[in-house]
Amino acid sequence: MSKGSVKAAVYKHYCVSGGGCCLAIFVLFMFILSQAFASGGDYWITFWVNLEEHVYVNGVYNATITANNPSSASYPFIVSRDICIYVYSGLTVLTILATLFRSFLFFLMCMTASVNLHDHMFTSISRATMWFFNNNSSGRILNRFSKDMGAIDELLPVAMMDVLQIGITLLAIIIVVASINVWLLIPTVCVGILFYFLRLFYIATSRS
């Protein structure tokens, strides 16, 4: 039966095996940067839609007319439709490039960590004393090299990618929503607390 949680030292050792803490921090920065570009595109779409509605209602599409039109003075600034297209296209391209680069770095770090951990395990086994082999069966040792390393090679990178991507995306959504209407943070906190207790319930039942 699995109990307890993974200590922070284990994650630190995994990051060190993958190329060092600096590389792990840079990969995390690339996750945040790619999400910032994606959220920037979403925010720009909102601005663009509101701008088109404003132009349709007031019939203005440049700063000169806006300055001479009191009804459009409430809008912060007006740009041309071409600039809107260029900005959105640029954000989309930056999102794609940043996502590809961060995915390449992330899986490269995971692959490096798997190789280094396997080499470290093999070195430790080859230098182990007879006491170790007398107290650990050959099946248990082979299981560490096959099933456990297989999980590190195949399952762990995908799970970590999902955790980082979904977590940062969720945080970005909360920031965007709060920037539009701060009162929406109240139901967000309530839902977050509800899901936290659901998580505790799921973990407790899945391990029983």
Side-chain angles (χ1 to χ4, degrees):
M1 182 184 299
S2 300
K3 293 183 179 180
S5 58
V6 180
K7 297 181 180 179
V10 178
Y11 293 106
K12 181 180 178 181
H13 183 68
Y14 183 81
C15 293
V16 171
S17 301
C21 294
C22 293
L23 179 60
I25 294 174
F26 182 71
V27 171
L28 180 61
F29 170 75
M30 289 304 303
F31 269 90
I32 297 175
L33 184 63
S34 61
Q35 183 58 49
F37 287 142
S39 298
D42 295 337
Y43 188 83
W44 186 258
I45 282 291
T46 303
F47 169 80
W48 192 359
V49 170
N50 293 333
L51 176 62
E52 292 292 342
E53 181 181 0
H54 176 79
V55 170
Y56 178 78
V57 172
N58 296 279
V60 292
Y61 225 127
N62 58 70
T64 303
I65 300 178
T66 303
N68 297 327
N69 190 350
S71 63
S72 62
S74 59
Y75 209 80
F77 63 95
I78 293 182
V79 295
S80 65
R81 186 175 288 115
D82 291 338
I83 294 179
C84 291
I85 295 175
Y86 294 150
V87 171
Y88 183 71
S89 300
L91 289 173
T92 302
V93 172
L94 289 175
T95 301
I96 295 173
L97 294 178
T99 302
L100 291 175
F101 184 62
R102 73 104 198 265
S103 299
F104 173 77
L105 283 181
F106 176 78
F107 285 107
L108 178 63
M109 183 185 71
C110 293
M111 183 176 64
T112 304
S114 298
V115 172
N116 290 334
L117 289 174
H118 184 276
D119 292 343
H120 181 70
M121 287 178 59
F122 182 78
T123 302
S124 300
I125 285 292
S126 62
R127 297 178 180 179
T129 61
M130 290 302 299
W131 180 90
F132 176 81
F133 292 100
N134 289 331
N135 290 273
N136 295 276
S137 62
S138 58
R140 180 183 298 177
I141 297 174
L142 290 175
N143 190 46
R144 296 296 176 267
F145 277 92
S146 58
K147 183 179 179 181
D148 291 357
M149 287 304 301
I152 293 176
D153 294 339
E154 300 176 4
L155 302 180
L156 184 59
V158 178
M160 290 179 60
M161 172 69 80
D162 289 340
V163 169
L164 290 174
Q165 187 170 353
I166 295 174
I168 295 176
T169 301
L170 178 61
L171 181 61
I173 292 173
I174 293 175
I175 293 175
V176 172
V177 169
S179 65
I180 297 175
N181 189 350
V182 70
W183 293 106
L184 291 176
L185 289 177
I186 297 177
T188 302
V189 172
C190 296
V191 172
I193 295 174
L194 176 62
F195 274 96
Y196 174 76
F197 285 104
L198 286 176
R199 171 185 173 273
L200 295 180
F201 175 76
Y202 168 76
I203 293 177
T205 54
S206 63
R207 292 180 176 179
S208 60

